Amino acid sequence: MMRFLMKGLLRDRSRSLFPLLTIFAGVLLTVVLESWMDGIMSSMIQTTAHYATGHVRVTTRSYAKEADQVPNDLALLGIDTLIAGLRRDYPDILWTPRIRFGGLLDIPDSHHETRAQAPVTGIAADLLSPGSPEGRYLELARAIVRGRMIRARGEIVLGDELAQKLGIAPGDTVTLMSSTMYGSMSLTNFVVAGTVRFGIVAMDKGTVVADIADIQQALDMANGAGEILGLFADDIYHEDRANAVTAAFNGRLPSADPAAAAGQFAPVMGTLRSTSGLSDYMDMVRLYSFILVVVFIVAMSLVLWNAGLTGSLRRYGEFGIRLAVGESKSHVYLTLLGESVMIGLAGSLIGTAAGVGLACYTQSHGFDIGSIMNESSVMIPDVVRAEVTPFTYVIGFLPGLVATLLGTAISGLGIYKRQTSELFKELGT
């Protein structure tokens, strides 16, 4: 029977071509849009993890409550012991200390008078220790525009856009004016090793990067850090694992030292989802993915329903002959569903292949959205890319098959409403 149905579809294009094209278009759009949303979300998560929160983050209890204000007066102390314990207990996670800081960058002229000033935000990371993963996470070597990477103490790199605005070149000396951990004023000279383009508008306009040892000295934070970031070895955010590690770390503190655990300087761990402010974005992407599939299912079902009604009018003669030779209405109805499955599979396969191909192309080349992100503070690269995942290969089959079956199932109900005598009459005319 399936062979008979296949021959009928191949020989009568009016029964298969329009539904096939409809399914192809719907599946193609579903696959491409899904891959784009996955790519944008993955870029935001990876960028936020590398530059801000890690996959998990350890801070003091009070620092966590005011993290947006970067309260270094509430920073962790004795981080060598804490990091050693984290690496022992969670060896599958890479742990690295960070200090986020703010201040005023002062650029002197030839007479050592202030020529220009600009407010900056800073990232202090372990850039000089052998084996440190920070160079890979911050991607400074790739981002260098002028000059070179930090190679020695007392050097910084800064965003190229900021450097051009202030007229700074590699080799120039600048002064960072900030406040120490204890509230006193700090003035520290640095040599500009190079300028970088992070590819993130929010950072290119006013970010400096320094080695953590220099900032610890400048801000009077010996053996201290604002936060300790943990990133999974495969550099992919696993939410279930992050939640499990966080629960285990936070759950054992009261039993170890109840008084210390209740204090404002007790270490506490949070996940990327809870500390980055991306939870709403992540939920929104999941919701939009669901809405996307539902919209295409409904739209394609309506189109295929109308196509099925039109096709049924043309095929009443065929139905009359099949009923005349003893075929039941239920069997005719089931064969229509069988035809729809064949068309749905074919359209879904072709649409998925085309959609994945287009997604792979945009995954390699990307799309520059820097011009529309000038005022954005979201941690997202200027160039966004689609992301092809195993789910990309199957998402298109859901609207492709469900919409086809639903449209045919509704239009095919007309068979049960027609009388056999009417079908014979139409056959005769």
Side-chain angles (χ1 to χ4, degrees):
M1 190 65 187
M2 298 301 292
R3 184 178 180 185
F4 168 77
L5 296 176
M6 181 65 72
K7 285 184 177 181
L9 292 173
L10 293 175
R11 293 174 180 176
D12 186 359
R13 292 186 179 180
S14 63
R15 291 161 53 183
S16 58
L17 183 59
F18 179 73
L20 186 68
L21 292 177
T22 302
I23 297 166
F24 166 78
V27 170
L28 173 64
L29 289 173
T30 302
V31 171
V32 171
L33 291 177
E34 175 69 22
S35 65
W36 265 108
M37 287 193 293
D38 285 346
I40 292 173
M41 193 70 250
S42 294
S43 295
M44 291 177 64
I45 289 174
Q46 185 179 62
T47 302
T48 302
H50 287 179
Y51 291 100
T53 66
H55 296 142
V56 293
R57 181 176 70 178
V58 178
T59 63
T60 64
R61 190 179 301 277
S62 296
Y63 187 104
K65 295 177 181 179
E66 304 177 18
D68 291 340
Q69 302 177 29
V70 194
N72 284 325
D73 56 319
L74 303 174
L76 293 161
L77 295 177
I79 61 171
D80 289 347
T81 302
L82 181 56
I83 292 176
L86 289 168
R87 289 172 177 169
R88 180 187 66 247
D89 296 336
Y90 310 104
D92 58 332
I93 299 177
L94 300 177
W95 300 97
T96 183
R98 290 272 183 91
I99 298 175
R100 290 189 292 156
F101 60 94
L104 194 67
L105 200 65
D106 183 271
I107 297 87
D109 58 16
S110 58
H111 301 289
H112 304 288
E113 300 290 338
T114 297
R115 174 171 59 84
Q117 289 183 335
V120 294
T121 57
I123 299 175
D126 186 7
L127 300 174
L128 299 178
S129 296
S132 173
E134 290 287 25
R136 183 171 79 253
Y137 293 143
L138 297 178
E139 298 182 314
L140 295 180
R142 177 192 61 80
I144 288 290
V145 176
R146 294 180 291 161
R148 56 173 175 78
M149 274 280 292
I150 295 174
R151 296 177 184 171
R153 295 281 302 274
E155 295 181 342
I156 62 169
V157 297
L158 64 157
D160 190 65
E161 184 176 337
L162 174 65
Q164 292 185 18
K165 177 182 176 182
L166 298 177
I168 302 173
D172 289 351
T173 298
V174 298
T175 301
L176 175 66
M177 305 170 64
S178 186
S179 61
T180 70
M181 180 178 179
Y182 302 101
S184 58
M185 189 173 184
S186 169
L187 299 173
T188 310
N189 290 332
F190 289 96
V191 175
V192 177
T195 65
V196 297
R197 185 177 184 277
F198 297 100
I200 302 169
V201 174
M203 296 184 63
D204 286 330
K205 290 184 175 181
T207 298
V208 300
V209 180
D211 183 68
I212 193 169
D214 288 329
I215 300 302
Q216 285 175 330
Q217 181 177 350
L219 304 187
D220 200 10
M221 296 176 63
N223 199 22
E227 49 203 33
I228 299 173
L229 307 188
L231 295 104
F232 294 116
D234 59 4
D235 204 18
I236 298 174
Y237 178 56
H238 305 281
E239 189 166 353
D240 292 340
R241 288 174 59 191
N243 289 333
V245 170
T246 300
F249 181 86
N250 293 335
R252 72 182 186 179
L253 289 177
S255 60
D257 188 347
Q264 63 174 336
F265 294 104
V268 63
M269 185 182 293
T271 65
L272 181 148
R273 182 185 180 91
S274 63
T275 60
S276 65
L278 287 181
S279 58
D280 291 339
Y281 285 101
M282 296 169 73
D283 292 338
M284 182 177 65
V285 167
R286 291 174 182 173
L287 177 61
Y288 282 2
S289 296
F290 174 76
I291 292 175
L292 173 70
V293 173
V294 171
V295 167
F296 278 116
I297 287 177
V298 172
M300 291 164 60
S301 297
L302 291 174
V303 174
L304 294 172
W305 176 18
N306 290 324
L309 291 174
T310 304
S312 296
L313 292 174
R314 293 180 58 258
R315 299 177 66 185
Y316 275 142
E318 174 195 337
F319 297 154
I321 293 176
R322 292 170 65 178
L323 292 173
V325 298
E327 191 172 353
S328 66
K329 291 182 179 180
S330 296
H331 191 265
V332 174
Y333 183 71
L334 290 175
T335 57
L336 289 178
L337 295 180
E339 289 180 357
S340 70
V341 170
M342 292 181 184
I343 296 172
L345 280 173
S348 297
L349 284 170
I350 299 172
T352 297
V356 169
L358 186 58
C360 287
Y361 176 83
T362 53
Q363 181 175 249
S364 300
H365 294 78
F367 184 73
D368 192 344
I369 61 171
S371 60
I372 63 176
M373 298 293 289
N374 286 331
E375 303 301 324
S376 173
S377 60
V378 178
M379 299 285 284
I380 184 171
D382 291 353
V383 178
V384 295
R385 305 174 187 274
E387 181 179 9
V388 178
T389 66
F391 189 60
T392 308
Y393 291 90
V394 299
I395 182 63
F397 285 87
L398 182 58
L401 290 175
V402 173
T404 311
L405 280 170
L406 189 58
T408 303
I410 297 173
S411 62
L413 291 175
I415 294 174
Y416 291 98
K417 298 178 182 179
R418 305 291 290 182
Q419 298 297 323
T420 305
S421 58
E422 294 179 358
L423 293 170
F424 277 124
K425 186 187 298 184
E426 291 165 358
L427 176 61
T429 57

